[in-house]
Amino acid sequence: MKTNLKSIVSLVALVVLVSACKLGTSKEDDPTPSGGSNSFAATVDGKSWKANAASGGIAVVGGLLTIAGKIDDANEISIQMVGKDIQTGVDYLFEIPANETNKNANLIYKRQNSPLFAKSGKVRFSTFTNKKIEGTFDAQVTDYINANAEIQSGTFVINL
């Protein structure tokens, strides 16, 4: 339980850090806006979940990638990971297996203002450029006390 509590505290600190950072891209990759719209959707516990707003980018300081879909202030899904050297076609896991710490990510599902953290699952990018981030994800999430949820068939398209 100490390890789980430590993980939860680390994830909450990460979310606070991400919230404080301005999302953008480095000057080297200065993207031009794409004309398309963003989308973020999934199936949560067998029910369709579609964000009203989707956004993403890489923090200028620290290189943290954040992709988020939001229905309202109380309900959102966000994925965070180090945005350096991301490859398409690779599964980035929400759990950290031995010797693969460079292939991990975090997912937080906020349901009615209660955060649930991914204990397993993955995110995979099909497109990752300075103009567009696109991919799929699934996760099993928990609050490590009594609440759990299953997120399946997640998709996102973020035009930068």
Side-chain angles (χ1 to χ4, degrees), residues 8-85:
I8 290 171
V9 170
S10 296
L11 286 172
V12 170
L14 179 65
V15 170
V16 170
L17 177 64
V18 168
S19 298
C21 292
K22 180 180 178 190
L23 293 178
T25 56
S26 69
K27 293 189 190 256
E28 297 171 9
D29 293 341
D30 194 19
T32 54
S34 300
S37 62
N38 296 339
S39 65
F40 195 109
T43 300
V44 178
D45 288 337
K47 296 179 184 172
S48 178
W49 190 99
K50 186 173 182 189
N52 293 325
S55 62
I58 299 177
V60 175
V61 177
L64 187 66
L65 168 68
T66 300
I67 302 163
K70 186 175 185 178
I71 291 177
D72 55 35
D73 287 341
N75 299 283
E76 69 180 275
I77 297 173
S78 64
I79 299 168
Q80 306 85 28
M81 63 187 293
V82 175
K84 194 170 141 183
D85 301 326

Side-chain angles (χ1 to χ4, degrees), residues 4-160:
N4 288 340
L5 184 57
K6 197 175 196 180
S7 296
I8 290 171
V9 170
S10 296
L11 286 172
V12 170
L14 179 65
V15 170
V16 170
L17 177 64
V18 168
S19 298
C21 292
K22 180 180 178 190
L23 293 178
T25 56
S26 69
K27 293 189 190 256
E28 297 171 9
D29 293 341
D30 194 19
T32 54
S34 300
S37 62
N38 296 339
S39 65
F40 195 109
T43 300
V44 178
D45 288 337
K47 296 179 184 172
S48 178
W49 190 99
K50 186 173 182 189
N52 293 325
S55 62
I58 299 177
V60 175
V61 177
L64 187 66
L65 168 68
T66 300
I67 302 163
K70 186 175 185 178
I71 291 177
D72 55 35
D73 287 341
N75 299 283
E76 69 180 275
I77 297 173
S78 64
I79 299 168
Q80 306 85 28
M81 63 187 293
V82 175
K84 194 170 141 183
D85 301 326
I86 291 177
Q87 300 172 11
T88 58
V90 173
D91 289 340
Y92 292 92
L93 305 177
F94 296 129
E95 66 272 12
I96 304 174
N99 301 321
E100 292 191 32
T101 56
N102 62 325
K103 292 185 179 177
N104 67 329
N106 297 309
L107 180 140
I108 299 172
Y109 169 48
K110 188 165 74 167
R111 175 175 64 188
Q112 298 302 317
N113 284 323
S114 296
L116 300 171
F117 305 95
K119 62 181 178 181
S120 64
K122 66 183 182 288
V123 61
R124 178 182 279 241
F125 298 93
S126 55
T127 303
F128 194 91
T129 68
N130 64 346
K131 294 185 180 188
K132 186 176 193 176
I133 302 171
E134 185 173 9
T136 60
F137 65 96
D138 59 69
Q140 294 73 45
V141 295
T142 184
D143 67 357
Y144 293 99
I145 299 170
N146 60 6
N148 296 294
E150 178 87 18
I151 300 173
Q152 299 175 314
S153 306
T155 62
F156 55 85
V157 176
I158 306 296
N159 292 289
L160 303 171

